Amino acid sequence: MVIGKGGMLAVAMAMTSLTMMAGTGIAGEFSARLDLSPEWRADNEHSPYLVPATASSAVRSLRQDLGVRMREGGFNAQGTLRLQAAEGSVPEYRGIVNQLYHDGEFGAGIGWTVGRKVMTWGVGHGFRPLDVVQREDRRGINQPPLVGVTLLALDFLDAEEATTLVWQHPGAGQRGVAADDEALAVRGYAFADETDLHAVARLSQRYGVEAGAGFSKVVGEEWGFHGAALYQRKSGQRLNHLAEQTVTVLAIADPTVTNHRRNVFKAVAGAQWTGTTGVGVLAEAWYDGEAWTREQWRQLDALTLRQRALTGVVPTVAIESNIAWSAQAFDRPNLMRENVMLRLTHEADQRWKSALEWLATPRDGGRAVTLSMTYEGNHYRLSSGVRWLGGATHSALAQSPLQRAVWLQWGLALP
Amino acid sequence: MCRYLLVALWLAASTLSAVAAEDVPALLKKADGYRLDGRAARVENTVELYRGEVLDKVRKYTVYVKPGRRSLVLMKSPLEIGQKVLMLGDQFWLLMPDSQRPLRITASQKLLGEAATGDVASMTWSDDYVGQIVGEEDLRGHRCLRLELAATRPAVTYVRIDLYLDKITALPIKADLYVNSGKRAKEAWYEAGVLEGKTRIVAMTLQDDIQTGRRTVIRYHSIEPREAPDEFFNPAALVRNALAGW
C-alpha cells in the first residue's frame, strides 16, 4: 500500500472534515461523499496495439473516494482521499486537493480569487474548445471529480456582463504538461437577446495566442442550441517519428516527438431537445485540429505491423516497448479530428436516468457506443454503464487496445 | 320587517358586485401577497415527494427572489449541495458543483417529483398571467372565484392556469396547471398559515394527474425580506460564493 506524495493536505482536510462532521457546531457549508467505483475492462484481442503487460490493460480495478467539501465565508476547499486498486498492482492511497481557494470582493461587482479552483469556460458536451484554462477530457468513462488550476483571478460583474482575468500557474513558465503551464487568460461573458455569449483569449509559451467565441441559446421550453470555435496559434502534436520513415523499425527509447504546428482550429456545434415526458436528444459535431488525421493513423498502423513482423527475430520486450509507446496515441480525448455524437436520454419515475450515446468518427468509420443508467435514492446514487469501441476494422476506435469497459459507481452522501 | 329584508338584500348585493367589479390584476396582486409581496426576499423551502402516504424523498432549497422575475435557487440537500439554478425571466441556468460551469436548462426540467424549477423559483402570478373570472365554486369550505389565466410570455412553466381564490380574501386555494399541449399537467392545492406574523401560503401540494398515488409538497419555512445585489443574478457569477452572508 502506497501513500502518494503531495496529498497530505487533502488527508488533513478529510480528517478535519470528518471531525467537524462528528461534532455539532458545523459552521459554513460542509458536505462529504463516499464513492465506490469498480471497473472492468476487456482487451481488444484483435488490436495490433495491445500489449498485455502494460498497467493500463488491468482487467479489474477499483477506485474508492472519500470526498469532502467545505465553505466558510469566501474560503472553499474540496479534497479527495482515494484508494486506487488494480489487478496485478499494489493498492495505492492518494490525497488529492481538488480545490482550495478564497473568493473575495474589492467592492461592488469586483471579485478576486486566489488558490486552486476548477474554472471551466467551455460550451458543448462531447468537446469544449473554449476550456482553455481547465482542459478536461470529456470522453473518459466514470471520471473522478476535476482537479482545479492554481490561479489568481479578477472578476468584474454587473447584472448582464462579466469579465474574468486569470493568471494561471503564476511563475511556472512552460512545464512538462500543458495543464501545468503558466498563462494569462481572459473571458468575456454577456447575456443579450436571451443568448449567452462567450469570448475567451489565452496567452502561453506552448500555444501562443488562443482566441475563441461561443454561444448557447434556449428556444421555447424544449430546444437548446450551442456553438463555439477556437483559434490556436501554436500546437504540439505527439507523433512517433518512426512512423514517418521506413528505414528504422524499432527504437531503444521513446520515439514520440512533438510535431509543432501553427494555426490550429477547433469547433463544436450542437442542438438539444428536451421533452416534457423525460426524453431528451442531443446531437453534436466537433472538429479538433490537434487530433490526428486518417493519414497519421495509417502511418502508425503500418509501423506497428512492421514491428509485429519482427516477432521471433528480435526480443519480444523490444517490440512490446515500441508498441506501448505508439499506443500512447490512444490517450488523447479525440482520436480523430472529425467527430459526431448522438445522445438519447430518458428520465423516469424521478429515480431512473438512462442514456444511450453513439460517437462516430466519419473519416475512418470508427464508433463508440455508451449505455449508462443512474438510480437516485434520497441519500445515494447508483450508476452503471458500458462502452463498446468498434466500427470499421482499420478505424482508430476499432484498433484501440480497449474493446469494452463496464463500470459501476455507488455514491453515498454522508449526513 | 319587509323593509329590513330589502335593505339586507341590497347590502349583500352591493358587497357581491364590489367583489365582482374588482379587476383580475388586482385580485392576482392580492393573491401573490400570500406567497411573495413583490419585494426581494430570501425563501427557505423543502420539497417532499410522497408515494402513497410514504415520504420517499426530501430536498432543501434556499431561494433568493428579486423583482423583475429573477430568482436564484441554492440546493442544500446532501446529494445536491452546491448545485444552483438561476432564473432570469424565461431563462434558466443550472450550475453543477463538479463542473463549475453554468448550463442552460428549460423551465420544465424537474427538480423533484412534480416540482418543476419554475414552481420553486417563481412565486407570483400577476407579472406573468392575464385572465378573467369565469365562475364560482365551493372548495374545502371556501367560496371561491374561479379565474381562467393565460400566460403573457411563451416560456413560463404553465401556459394556462385555472386558479381558485377565496372570494372574500383572495387567498389561493387551488390551481389546475396546464402545459403547452393543452393538457392539465397537475393540480395544486395551497395551504395557508402564519409566517413572520403574516398570513402566507405555507405549503403547496402538487398532485400528479397520471400517477395518482404520488404527490409533491413544497413547504415554505421562512420568507424574509432580503435584497441581494444585482450582480449575483448574473450567470457568470454562479461560480462565485458571493452569496455567503446573504
Side-chain angles (χ1 to χ4, degrees), chain B residues 23-155:
Chain B
D23 60 338
V24 171
L27 268 175
L28 292 180
K29 276 268 182 215
K30 207 167 168 184
D32 283 342
Y34 292 106
R35 304 169 85 201
L36 274 184
D37 49 17
R39 290 180 298 167
R42 175 185 147 134
V43 182
E44 299 284 348
N45 62 32
T46 52
V47 178
E48 301 167 353
L49 175 63
Y50 290 86
R51 288 169 188 260
E53 290 307 309
V54 179
L55 178 60
D56 188 38
K57 281 185 184 178
V58 183
R59 296 285 185 261
K60 291 180 189 171
Y61 304 102
T62 299
V63 187
Y64 293 86
V65 187
K66 285 199 83 165
R69 305 180 73 240
R70 290 176 292 174
S71 302
L72 179 58
V73 182
L74 310 184
M75 307 193 186
K76 297 290 185 181
S77 295
L79 212 55
E80 297 181 333
I81 200 157
Q83 293 182 36
K84 300 174 185 175
V85 173
L86 174 67
M87 183 186 96
L88 297 178
D90 305 331
Q91 308 294 319
F92 290 79
W93 290 260
L94 167 69
L95 179 86
M96 302 294 285
D98 283 345
S99 73
Q100 295 276 41
R101 191 177 74 102
L103 288 168
R104 291 294 290 272
I105 59 169
T106 63
S108 57
Q109 280 180 261
K110 303 286 177 59
L111 286 179
L112 180 67
E114 281 308 307
T117 310
D119 289 322
V120 173
S122 55
M123 293 175 68
T124 55
W125 290 298
S126 56
D127 290 342
D128 301 336
Y129 294 91
V130 292
Q132 56 187 347
I133 300 167
V134 293
E136 294 188 9
E137 208 169 304
D138 288 320
L139 289 172
R140 294 187 174 173
H142 296 265
R143 186 66 186 163
C144 294
L145 295 172
R146 182 181 166 203
L147 283 70
E148 231 175 58
L149 305 177
T152 55
R153 301 166 203 274

Side-chain angles (χ1 to χ4, degrees), chain A residues 69 76 120 128 349 351, chain B residues 56 98-99 101 214 241:
Chain A
R69 286 172 187 272
N76 296 266
T120 53
R128 294 176 184 159
D349 202 25
R351 288 171 173 269
Chain B
D56 188 38
D98 283 345
S99 73
R101 191 177 74 102
R214 295 192 193 165
N241 284 318

Side-chain angles (χ1 to χ4, degrees), chain A residues 352-355 371-375 382-386 407:
Chain A
W352 296 95
K353 287 178 188 170
S354 50
L371 178 66
S372 61
M373 192 166 277
T374 299
Y375 177 84
L382 188 63
S383 305
S384 65
V386 58
W407 72 93

Side-chain angles (χ1 to χ4, degrees), chain A residues 271-293:
Chain A
Q272 188 169 14
W273 177 83
T274 310
T276 50
T277 55
V279 176
V281 182
L282 165 74
E284 197 170 66
W286 66 86
Y287 177 83
D288 179 2
E290 282 198 300
W292 282 22
T293 61

